[in-house]
Amino acid sequence: MANRVVNSVLGQGTRMWSPVSRAVRAMSSGAGSGASPSHTYETLRVSQPRESVIHVELHRPEKRNAMNQAFWREMVVCFDRIAEDSDCRAVVVSGAGKIFTAGIDLMDMAGDVLQPEGDDAARRAWNLQRKIREYQDTFSVIERCSKPVLVAVHGACVGGGVDLISACDIRFCSQDAWFQIKEVDIGLAADVGTLQRLPKVIGSRSLVSELAYTARKLMSDEAKSCGLVSRVFPDKDSMMEGVLDMASEISSKSPVAVQGTKINLLYSRDHSVREGLEYIVSAKTHTHTLRRTHTQTQTLRHAHTH
């Protein structure tokens, strides 16, 4: 009976502020248990190099971390689990091997992209739309995760790699890094986030258009000057040390404050200043209500068990 009351109370009024609600739930549920979700994947290697910091490594080094069908599925599962992990306060993403990623694995993905299922044009178009939305979710899940996501790029970051890093909160790279919106060279328009997010990341639609139309490489010094990355390191080792240090610093702060900040930054990016100000007032009020409700329900549970 007590559990039904708890779930009913916690569920009230959370639909509108679901990002805030999920963040507060993740921070309160299982607190102090020390348990983290199990991560076993074909294309990703997940570890915890520092306290409260999860490291997600793209791990197909023999294929230059090309994004095959398993990768697109596993990223969603991985970040959904991280979002619910109350012990995690910051996430670092990097690539194994010589480069960050070569982008989409054309040999593995050609059937989905170039030959969608269906007996006629309408069904093929419908299936292609559904598949593209699934691919978009692979990187949107990074934004939905309330934990700050830092990405460390070395070597090439091509095609889908740019989609991925555009969805992250903080971007670092090594001196040898370069970035390329490659899709136009294979007769496609980038369709899983670059064209939507990158103009807001670097603030220059002209530069984004140039990169997307020509598929030219953006080298690390230009990436720093245009704001795509915030720091450039001499090599991968120093970059990984630097990104883990920053992740540790972030994880030492209040998770309520940090995750609430991410939620409001993302909301403000896509709304007017006035709407953003109204949102943060309402979100803070809602968070306060959730905290009070959580305290009350804990009291109810305690009374029920004693």
Side-chain angles (χ1 to χ4, degrees):
M1 176 64 181
N3 285 337
R4 286 198 297 271
V5 172
V6 167
N7 292 332
S8 174
V9 172
L10 282 175
Q12 292 176 0
T14 60
R15 181 172 298 176
M16 182 177 181
W17 307 110
S18 56
V20 180
S21 304
R22 285 196 298 268
V24 173
R25 287 170 187 265
M27 286 180 272
S28 61
S29 63
S33 66
S36 297
S38 174
H39 293 278
T40 304
Y41 308 105
E42 294 178 27
T43 66
L44 306 172
R45 177 176 290 177
V46 179
S47 60
Q48 185 175 339
R50 306 277 181 91
E51 184 179 359
S52 301
V53 175
I54 294 293
H55 181 200
V56 178
E57 185 180 46
L58 313 188
H59 201 262
R60 297 185 74 210
E62 73 287 353
K63 297 291 185 180
R64 300 189 299 169
N65 297 323
M67 300 171 174
N68 62 359
Q69 294 187 48
F71 167 85
W72 297 92
R73 294 191 305 269
E74 291 178 345
M75 279 287 288
V76 177
V77 174
C78 178
F79 273 89
D80 279 345
R81 288 178 177 172
I82 288 172
E84 297 299 323
D85 183 359
S86 60
D87 293 328
C88 173
R89 295 188 177 186
V91 186
V92 171
V93 177
S94 70
K98 295 182 178 180
I99 68 170
F100 181 70
T101 178
I104 189 172
D105 187 332
L106 288 173
M107 296 298 292
D108 187 73
M109 303 290 294
D112 277 353
V113 176
L114 302 178
Q115 296 177 322
E117 296 179 355
D119 297 330
D120 53 53
R123 288 179 174 83
R124 287 193 292 272
W126 188 90
N127 283 324
L128 180 59
Q129 288 181 354
R130 176 180 56 82
K131 187 59 66 174
I132 291 172
R133 289 192 181 99
E134 290 177 2
Y135 295 156
Q136 290 173 345
D137 198 46
T138 296
F139 303 134
S140 293
V141 73
I142 296 173
E143 287 187 344
R144 287 202 307 272
C145 177
S146 60
K147 321 299 171 68
V149 180
L150 297 75
V151 63
V153 178
H154 74 289
C157 177
V158 178
V162 180
D163 294 298
L164 189 161
I165 68 167
S166 298
C168 296
D169 299 293
I170 299 172
R171 288 165 291 276
F172 290 169
C173 77
S174 58
Q175 189 66 50
D176 67 347
W178 52 271
F179 307 83
Q180 187 176 26
I181 305 173
K182 184 70 172 174
E183 285 83 353
V184 71
D185 277 348
I186 57 173
L188 300 172
D191 53 11
V192 293
T194 289
L195 302 184
Q196 292 71 34
R197 295 186 176 100
L198 195 58
K200 298 180 179 181
V201 168
I202 66 176
S204 171
R205 185 168 294 276
S206 175
L207 179 56
V208 173
S209 297
E210 176 190 338
L211 296 171
Y213 297 161
T214 66
R216 77 166 176 86
K217 296 178 181 179
L218 182 79
M219 308 309 288
S220 59
D221 56 346
E222 189 178 3
K224 174 67 164 58
S225 66
C226 76
L228 177 59
V229 300
S230 51
R231 296 189 190 180
V232 178
F233 291 83
D235 51 44
K236 183 181 179 181
D237 289 343
S238 61
M239 175 182 64
M240 292 307 302
E241 188 69 21
V243 73
L244 289 172
D245 285 346
M246 179 169 285
S248 293
E249 182 179 357
I250 292 170
S251 69
S252 71
K253 312 298 184 184
S254 161
V256 175
V258 170
Q259 295 175 36
T261 297
K262 173 171 179 173
I263 291 166
N264 280 280
L265 280 172
L266 288 172
Y267 185 90
S268 295
R269 180 195 65 184
D270 299 328
H271 296 79
S272 69
V273 172
R274 182 181 61 81
E275 290 169 329
L277 290 170
E278 288 296 325
Y279 183 83
I280 196 167
V281 169
S282 300
K284 281 194 170 184
T285 303
H286 183 66
T287 302
H288 177 68
T289 302
L290 282 176
R291 285 174 171 171
R292 287 183 60 190
T293 302
H294 178 70
T295 301
Q296 291 167 357
T297 53
Q298 290 295 97
T299 303
L300 277 173
R301 284 196 176 107
H302 180 78
H304 177 71
T305 55
H306 293 79

